[in-house]
Amino acid sequence: MDKVVLVRYGEVALKTPYVRSFMERRLLEHIKFILDRNNVKYGEIKLISGRIFVRNVENAYEIAKIVSNIFGVVSTSPAVEVQTKLDSIREAVIEYSRKVLKDNMTFAIRARRVKKFPVKSKDLERILGADVLEALKGRNIRVNLTSPNITIYVEVRSRKTYIFHEVLEGVGGLPYGVEGKAISLVSGGIDSPVATWLIMKRGVKVIPVYFNSGKFTSEEAVEKAHKVMEILRKWVPEKEFYFYEVNYEKALNEMVKKVKPQLVCLACKRTMLKTAIKLAIKEEAKAVITGESLGQVASQTLDNMFAIGYDLKFPILRPLIGLDKEEIVKIARKIGTYNISSKAAVECKASPVFRGYKAAAHADISVISELEETVEIDELVNELVKNTRKVFI
């Protein structure tokens, strides 16, 4: 019996033949890249009829765990591989059951035939179940088809058969980068890294942008943002990953001087979006991603989002728009950013709340037009793009 890892993908298999072939190739490339980056030893990675197999592995469970965190992978299973011959399958299942079943456990056999096989699936289950009971008699091993302690799966293919009992849930989605490129506004907070990850899961290559507010933020907040970038980098199955860091202090200082405290957040968000759009055009990206969730804070009311984004003529995607805070936190924990993002730090000393004012919650377009003229946002944006550095991780 040879150790292998079964890799399953879902959405990719539903595409047209040309698109499916393209996405499968990218998924294979990403699996190889991630395994190589983790210094994992394996023999080959092969695609066969809707499955990807990582063969000749030493630690199948560890590899299955690593691969399950690759975008596009629905699930993985550490398994053993044998010849598709009834005698070989029977011997292998008996040997496998001896290793995974402990005394007094219940079990079930679930067989699936992908190709023609002389024994029907249900008949094969009965044969293999009887074999296990006979081989393990005296250990109080029993069959339970409704809620067994362990289910042993047998997947019969034309040449090889695969035996496993663990199914590790994958992240799903589409292979990274197959849907093009986007700029993502990322801070050290909880929301924006989650929004970025969700759009990555949909096959988008992201280039994060971090606006460093200098004296208007804290060293802890800057450190949080940089650590969040490092965590996001771990999810990227490519050699190159970088983010833009914008020197935002001077621009924010202009806003604080010239704009009513209640409107500073509106001017700030508008300036950030326009800067991100300029960088998107430079990078030939097709959208800007934000971490906004409808109604979460004053700047994220429907009125304010409409006003801030008015007439920008560029796609602004908001993956979190319909999620509440608990849902966002759950994803942040899953992807590994929560422990960093939740640490206390002074994020913005220019915000109305920090300065003792109530932020405007329902701006209209006329307010945005006034802000554009008051702080000359377009000129600020041109200067910001010049004072932006590219940080490679």
Side-chain angles (χ1 to χ4, degrees):
M1 294 189 293
D2 295 321
K3 291 182 180 180
V4 300
V5 173
L6 272 66
V7 183
R8 306 173 187 88
Y9 51 92
E11 250 185 286
V12 172
L14 303 177
K15 304 297 181 183
T16 61
Y18 176 80
V19 174
R20 174 175 174 168
S21 177
F22 162 67
M23 291 188 177
E24 286 173 338
R25 288 197 305 271
R26 292 296 289 272
L27 190 52
L28 286 169
E29 291 169 6
H30 295 167
I31 292 171
K32 185 178 187 307
F33 177 85
I34 292 295
L35 291 181
D36 290 345
R37 188 169 71 183
N38 282 274
N39 298 313
V40 172
K41 293 181 179 179
Y42 59 91
E44 68 170 349
I45 302 173
K46 196 166 185 180
L47 172 70
I48 304 175
S49 302
R51 288 278 192 275
I52 294 172
F53 300 89
V54 185
R55 287 203 169 100
N56 303 322
V57 299
E58 293 181 2
N59 190 334
Y61 181 84
E62 188 61 29
I63 291 178
K65 191 175 178 181
I66 291 170
V67 175
S68 69
N69 285 321
I70 296 175
F71 295 116
V73 173
V74 171
S75 66
T76 60
S77 291
V80 295
E81 180 184 69
V82 298
Q83 293 290 329
T84 297
K85 296 177 181 178
L86 183 56
D87 288 345
S88 299
I89 295 171
R90 295 177 70 175
E91 290 174 13
V93 169
I94 290 171
E95 182 64 24
Y96 191 87
S97 66
R98 285 196 176 107
K99 293 179 180 179
V100 300
L101 292 176
K102 301 184 185 305
D103 293 353
N104 304 311
M105 272 190 170
T106 60
F107 77 100
I109 303 287
R110 297 298 180 200
R112 175 172 176 259
R113 301 179 305 164
V114 179
K115 296 290 184 179
K116 288 184 179 180
F117 188 67
V119 182
K120 293 181 179 179
S121 297
K122 290 297 180 184
D123 293 335
L124 184 59
E125 290 173 358
R126 284 191 284 270
I127 292 168
L128 297 176
D131 286 345
V132 172
L133 288 173
E134 176 63 25
L136 275 62
K137 64 183 178 182
R139 292 175 51 185
N140 195 30
I141 302 293
R142 305 180 310 281
V143 172
N144 186 328
L145 299 179
T146 55
S147 56
N149 295 126
I150 286 181
T151 300
I152 298 174
Y153 297 93
V154 181
E155 187 170 302
V156 181
R157 290 178 167 262
S158 56
R159 295 183 179 181
K160 301 286 185 178
T161 292
Y162 301 89
I163 304 162
F164 57 93
H165 74 285
E166 294 172 298
V167 179
L168 282 63
E169 184 181 359
V171 292
L174 298 173
Y176 183 77
V178 297
E179 285 296 326
K181 192 190 306 182
I183 293 288
S184 186
L185 302 181
V186 180
S187 69
I190 293 173
D191 298 346
S192 60
V194 172
T196 303
W197 184 87
L198 286 174
I199 212 71
M200 291 164 70
K201 179 182 173 181
R202 296 310 304 159
V204 177
K205 176 177 180 175
V206 297
I207 302 171
V209 177
Y210 170 58
F211 289 82
N212 189 332
S213 302
K215 69 179 183 180
F216 292 101
T217 190
S218 62
E219 290 183 9
E220 293 81 5
V222 176
E223 184 180 356
K224 279 171 58 179
H226 284 206
K227 286 184 177 179
V228 160
M229 300 297 183
E230 291 174 5
I231 293 172
L232 289 175
R233 198 279 172 266
K234 294 177 182 178
W235 288 92
V236 176
E238 294 181 350
K239 290 181 180 179
E240 185 178 88
F241 180 76
Y242 58 87
F243 68 93
Y244 283 104
E245 185 165 16
V246 181
N247 186 346
Y248 201 50
E249 181 181 332
K250 184 178 177 182
L252 197 50
N253 196 49
E254 283 288 302
M255 296 176 216
V256 170
K257 283 181 179 179
K258 297 180 178 180
V259 175
K260 293 176 183 179
Q262 298 90 336
L263 302 177
V264 166
C265 280
L266 296 176
C268 177
K269 293 272 181 149
R270 178 80 170 180
T271 304
M272 284 182 172
L273 282 178
K274 284 200 160 189
T275 304
I277 290 169
K278 282 267 187 180
L279 292 171
I281 293 169
K282 176 183 176 181
E283 286 282 350
E284 297 184 344
K286 299 300 189 297
V288 170
I289 315 302
T290 78
E292 293 163 304
S293 172
L294 187 60
Q296 190 175 124
V297 293
S299 64
Q300 296 177 26
T301 63
L302 188 57
D303 286 336
N304 281 357
M305 282 193 282
F306 175 77
I308 291 167
Y310 182 74
D311 202 32
L312 289 182
K313 298 176 182 177
F314 201 85
I316 309 296
L317 306 183
R318 299 175 172 91
L320 308 184
I321 197 70
L323 302 185
D324 61 34
K325 200 65 177 184
E326 288 185 9
E327 292 171 311
I328 297 168
V329 165
K330 184 178 179 181
I331 299 172
R333 292 184 188 278
K334 174 183 176 181
I335 68 177
T337 56
Y338 180 77
N339 288 341
I340 299 297
S341 298
S342 61
K343 289 182 178 178
V346 177
E347 300 289 347
C348 183
K349 300 174 186 177
S351 71
V353 175
F354 187 87
R355 296 158 65 199
Y357 293 90
K358 188 176 180 180
H362 300 285
D364 57 32
I365 299 168
S366 63
V367 171
I368 296 299
S369 299
E370 185 180 334
L371 290 175
E372 290 269 7
E373 296 176 4
T374 303
V375 295
E376 298 176 323
I377 287 179
D378 287 338
E379 290 187 18
L380 284 182
V381 168
N382 290 333
E383 190 66 25
L384 286 169
V385 172
K386 290 178 185 178
N387 290 306
T388 297
R389 71 185 184 111
K390 191 183 285 188
V391 182
F392 287 85
I393 302 178

